Amino acid sequence: MSSYDDDTLPLQPPIRLPGKATLASAVRAAPMAGALQPEGDDTEVLAFWAEHCRKRLAGDEGLLLELVRLFLSREPLSGKASPTLTGLGLVRQAEPYTLSWLGLWVARQIIAETTGQDIPVMGTLADADAATLLHGLRSYPESERGEELAGWLEGRDEQAAADEIASVLGAVSPLSRAVGVELLSTAFGEEGRQALARLLEEPKLGAVIAARTGREERQPTPDEIAWVLVDMAAALLEFGGETGEVIESIAMGMKPEEQAGTIAILAFGDHPWTGQVLRVFIDHHPDERVVAAARKALRRLRGLADLRG
């Protein structure tokens, strides 16, 4: 199914879903269930319904887009709901015409399949490892993040949990790293801050932590500057932020000629997101001098990558 394919879909906040038994009961109660006759246990019923919904929506782009719009907006329809969506149990049969639990469940799967974004479900990260936790928390608003973290911490020693998060900061994505640094700075008290302090002398990672926590005594070395700039910009890019925000995170109010000089050094870092950040400058920066510098930096980056093997 490829009708709804948006590579730049911003990270979506988590949703709440009931358990499998409740969702399966909703399938059996859907108006179309009598004709389609889903059979088996709850898992089999849900698998059958998910596949039927995929096929039905794949054949009608308008219905697919309506379902996705309802999910993304979290607002009710302004007009009458589609009989197909209500018949499948995906939209309420009475006003306000919002997605049902079943509709949220199906829409989440479709968005994951078409955009690659696995929208988190509240309460599902409790047994995750630290890297998976940070990845999942990237789109959580502050209140939901605290709730999910509390579930993850239940039954864990807080010091060990802080150390576990600290141990993966160098290996996770830029936004996951930003989330981890923030959690250790604010949610773990002195244990978290000490865990971060122990990482300050780590190459690259320590420089990012210092920049994010205001540790001015830990200044980046010349070869770390590019890595820190890219990491900060990449976190915004990963979240789905506006291109202007990504550009400003590096431009920092500098004049175009100064920006061009800063862009030139990005090629000498080996951050895995450097190419994507440079593409933002090439495609969206209004000043041709900066665009030219970004193009040159991207060519140099590719050349250096070839030399590194």
Side-chain angles (χ1 to χ4, degrees), residues 191-248:
E191 290 91 347
R193 289 187 286 274
Q194 286 298 320
L196 288 175
R198 288 191 289 272
L199 294 173
L200 283 174
E201 296 311 311
E202 289 288 323
K204 301 172 185 173
L205 174 60
V208 170
I209 291 171
R212 288 203 173 275
T213 58
R215 299 290 291 264
E216 295 184 1
E217 72 276 12
R218 174 32 168 121
Q219 291 295 310
T221 61
D223 60 339
E224 289 177 324
I225 293 174
W227 213 91
V228 172
L229 288 172
V230 170
D231 202 67
M232 305 282 263
L236 293 170
L237 192 58
E238 188 179 350
F239 185 75
E242 296 291 333
T243 54
E245 295 176 332
V246 177
I247 290 171
E248 183 55 33

Side-chain angles (χ1 to χ4, degrees), residues 66-79 91-92 96-100 104:
E66 186 172 325
L67 180 74
V68 172
R69 277 195 294 267
L70 279 168
F71 184 95
L72 297 180
S73 71
R74 312 292 168 93
E75 296 289 337
L77 281 171
S78 55
V91 172
R92 285 167 43 90
Y97 296 116
T98 56
L99 289 184
S100 63
L104 287 170

Side-chain angles (χ1 to χ4, degrees), residues 32 36 47-58 88:
M32 290 186 183
L36 295 171
F48 170 86
W49 208 251
E51 183 60 24
H52 179 77
C53 288
R54 286 190 194 96
K55 290 179 179 178
R56 180 66 183 84
L57 295 171
L88 290 169

Side-chain angles (χ1 to χ4, degrees), residues 74-152:
R74 312 292 168 93
E75 296 289 337
L77 281 171
S78 55
K80 190 75 173 175
S82 158
T84 300
L85 294 181
T86 55
L88 290 169
L90 306 182
V91 172
R92 285 167 43 90
Q93 298 178 57
E95 293 186 291
Y97 296 116
T98 56
L99 289 184
S100 63
W101 290 125
L102 198 56
L104 287 170
W105 179 74
V106 169
R108 175 180 178 270
Q109 291 188 49
I110 288 173
I111 289 173
E113 292 164 3
T114 55
T115 71
Q117 185 177 149
D118 190 12
I119 297 167
V121 176
M122 289 292 300
T124 58
L125 296 175
D127 297 325
D129 59 28
T132 303
L133 173 74
L134 297 182
H135 180 83
L137 290 179
R138 294 175 305 159
S139 65
Y140 276 58
E142 186 174 347
S143 58
E144 283 88 349
R145 183 181 292 177
E147 180 182 340
E148 193 73 61
L149 179 63
W152 186 77

